[in-house]
Amino acid sequence: MVKSKKKRNYLSAPVRVFFHLTKRCNFKCKYCFVDAHALPSRDELTVKDIKKVFDQCQELNVLLVKISGGEPLIRKDILQVISLLKRYDFSATLNTNGFFITNEIAKELVKSDIELVNVSLDGPKIIQEQICGVPQSFQKVISGIEKLKRKNIKVALEFVLTKLNCSYFYDLLSIARELKVDLVKIFPLSLAGRAVDQAKDYALSYEKWKDFYLELTKKKISNDLVYKNIQIVPFNCNFCSWELYYPLPAKERKNILKKVWKIDLEHAIVPTGDFHCTAAINCCAISANGDIYPCEQMMGIEELKAGNIKENDLSRVWNGSEVFSKLRGLTRKNLIGFCRNCENPYCSGACPGEAHFLSGNMLVSDSRCVRD
């Protein structure tokens, strides 16, 4: 831990590194937060470059490398990349759409001791193929998951909640039960990348979100679900995001959050400066071309680029980047708008990356929040 009187305390090295191996993807999701595409890329990192990243993560004692994209399994050399992982002490997870999973890839993932494979699945066939834009892809994804489970690999389904698939969530739980996956994660739509221009078409209103959240909470309390291991993952670092906090009845809020969603407000960890964003505090991100950012949600924002792994050592960027230093200096007092003076200590507003994509300023308040 690096302590500072002028800046927020930050770790001497990142705990988590988000590592995008490619920006290419065979799916065409209209609200992709990384704006992935099918076009070939000339500046994608080579296996040699990727090994350099892994080596530096090992030297920094990084605990977790989260491998993602685009669709990482679209790379022709992906087996070489996966095979590298067994040389290192850090844990690794893989994010994939599941389409390219083969028995050979599953076998290599077992050898690499992969901690978890997160597979994007936004509902049953009828809605999944509408969202991803690839006909006949649903069964390929299901088949890929089955290959992973036959190898006893831990699998989580990632469900991005939108207007299109909100009514299909409980169908997804039936699929999760049949596949015997280990976890279902619900992600509210991240308003970054392509989603910025699609928000009106896909983002749930607060009223729709509240109905969904309260119904799911009620079903969890009454044990009325076919699949029970469910987690809601807002795209921010708040101890308890407003999406989870305000919809609940005030008198029952703390009890429900603790018992149902495992969020213990009585033992909340409120960071220095009452600003919860962990970008450049305990994590950073590396894009497919090697650019280094404070967080995955900030990828593609030119002014938040801190260097490139081909030219800069990750340790030097972590400890010497002006971009990272600026973020570490932020507190709630720097926010613009109502989030600055909000009395809710468990939330410090919008994800700065999302805020920048929406307004051009990472410090603006979250206009979607509905306070008491």
Side-chain angles (χ1 to χ4, degrees):
M1 175 74 73
V2 178
K3 295 186 177 182
S4 171
K5 293 182 179 180
K6 295 183 179 181
K7 294 181 173 62
R8 290 182 292 150
N9 298 338
Y10 64 97
L11 299 184
S12 56
V15 171
R16 297 169 295 150
V17 173
F18 300 91
F19 190 14
H20 288 209
L21 298 186
T22 183
K23 200 170 181 178
R24 291 176 289 145
C25 186
N26 58 311
F27 281 7
K28 307 166 187 175
C29 305
K30 293 182 179 179
Y31 46 75
C32 176
F33 86 94
V34 296
D35 193 19
H37 49 71
L39 300 175
S41 177
R42 294 180 180 179
D43 60 355
E44 215 168 71
L45 295 178
T46 65
V47 174
K48 183 178 179 180
D49 295 326
I50 292 168
K51 183 181 181 299
K52 177 183 176 182
V53 172
F54 289 164
D55 287 343
Q56 292 187 25
C57 287
Q58 178 82 356
E59 290 168 8
L60 285 169
N61 294 314
V62 169
L63 296 182
L64 176 63
V65 176
K66 300 172 73 71
I67 296 170
S68 188
E71 172 46 53
L73 301 187
I74 205 170
R75 290 184 60 126
K76 293 181 180 179
D77 55 10
I78 191 60
L79 287 171
Q80 289 178 260
V81 175
I82 296 172
S83 69
L84 292 173
L85 291 171
K86 56 180 174 284
R87 306 181 186 184
Y88 302 99
D89 296 324
F90 53 75
S91 296
T93 62
L94 171 70
N95 279 36
T96 174
N97 63 30
F99 187 89
F100 295 108
I101 296 171
T102 62
N103 287 322
E104 190 176 9
I105 286 174
K107 184 178 179 181
E108 200 62 50
L109 287 170
V110 170
K111 291 180 182 178
S112 74
D113 198 25
I114 199 81
E115 182 177 301
L116 179 70
V117 177
N118 298 294
V119 181
S120 301
L121 193 64
D122 288 329
K125 177 180 172 67
I126 187 172
I127 193 67
Q128 167 69 10
E129 292 182 359
Q130 180 184 342
I131 288 172
C132 77
V134 180
Q136 309 305 316
S137 60
F138 177 79
Q139 194 51 50
K140 284 268 292 183
V141 174
I142 297 300
S143 176
I145 295 170
E146 290 172 339
K147 289 179 174 67
L148 297 176
K149 293 311 299 176
R150 281 197 291 269
K151 295 291 185 181
N152 295 316
I153 295 171
K154 288 186 177 180
V155 175
L157 300 185
E158 294 195 339
F159 179 88
V160 179
L161 184 67
T162 67
K163 290 179 181 178
L164 290 178
N165 64 358
C166 184
S167 62
Y168 292 94
F169 176 70
Y170 295 103
D171 296 305
L172 180 83
L173 292 187
S174 296
I175 295 170
R177 181 184 64 177
E178 292 171 13
L179 292 171
K180 299 180 180 179
V181 299
D182 300 272
L183 177 65
V184 170
K185 301 179 185 178
I186 303 169
F187 289 87
L189 181 64
S190 172
L191 298 181
R194 288 202 290 270
V196 173
D197 296 325
Q198 307 290 337
K200 291 182 180 179
D201 295 326
Y202 298 114
L204 290 184
S205 65
Y206 174 75
E207 290 74 20
K208 290 289 186 183
W209 160 254
K210 181 178 179 180
D211 290 344
F212 173 86
Y213 175 51
L214 292 181
E215 180 185 16
L216 178 57
T217 300
K218 182 179 179 180
K219 285 179 177 291
K220 282 179 72 68
I221 291 171
S222 62
N223 201 27
D224 184 25
L225 292 166
V226 297
Y227 182 91
K228 299 176 176 58
N229 197 14
I230 303 165
Q231 184 180 37
I232 299 175
V233 189
F235 275 99
N236 55 49
C237 305
N238 296 319
F239 186 85
C240 181
S241 179
W242 65 265
E243 293 102 323
L244 303 180
Y245 186 83
Y246 286 122
L248 297 173
K251 291 183 179 180
E252 304 172 50
R253 189 176 284 148
K254 287 187 177 182
N255 186 50
I256 292 173
L257 285 168
K258 182 177 181 179
K259 290 189 174 181
V260 179
W261 297 108
K262 311 304 180 189
I263 300 172
D264 187 356
L265 298 184
E266 296 290 345
H267 297 90
I269 301 172
V270 180
T272 312
D274 196 17
F275 190 69
H276 297 227
C277 176
T278 61
I281 299 295
N282 67 17
C283 71
C284 65
I286 301 172
S287 70
N289 69 347
D291 287 339
I292 304 169
Y293 294 90
C295 175
E296 183 179 42
Q297 289 291 105
M298 297 175 178
M299 281 186 178
I301 301 175
E302 186 64 26
E303 65 194 71
L304 295 180
K305 184 172 73 173
N308 187 285
I309 200 69
K310 296 177 184 177
E311 304 162 359
N312 309 104
D313 184 85
L314 185 58
S315 176
R316 289 188 178 182
V317 170
W318 182 261
N319 291 298
S321 162
E322 290 186 12
V323 171
F324 284 18
S325 180
K326 180 181 177 180
L327 280 167
R328 290 164 184 160
L330 296 177
T331 70
R332 189 189 285 262
K333 292 179 181 179
N334 295 109
L335 297 177
I336 301 167
F338 57 83
C339 287
R340 174 184 176 131
N341 298 311
C342 181
E343 295 179 356
N344 179 359
Y346 311 112
C347 175
S348 66
C351 162
E354 259 194 348
H356 192 285
F357 275 108
L358 288 171
S359 68
N361 189 327
M362 66 179 178
L363 297 176
V364 299
S365 294
D366 194 334
S367 60
R368 296 165 296 175
C369 177
V370 180
R371 295 176 294 173
D372 284 345

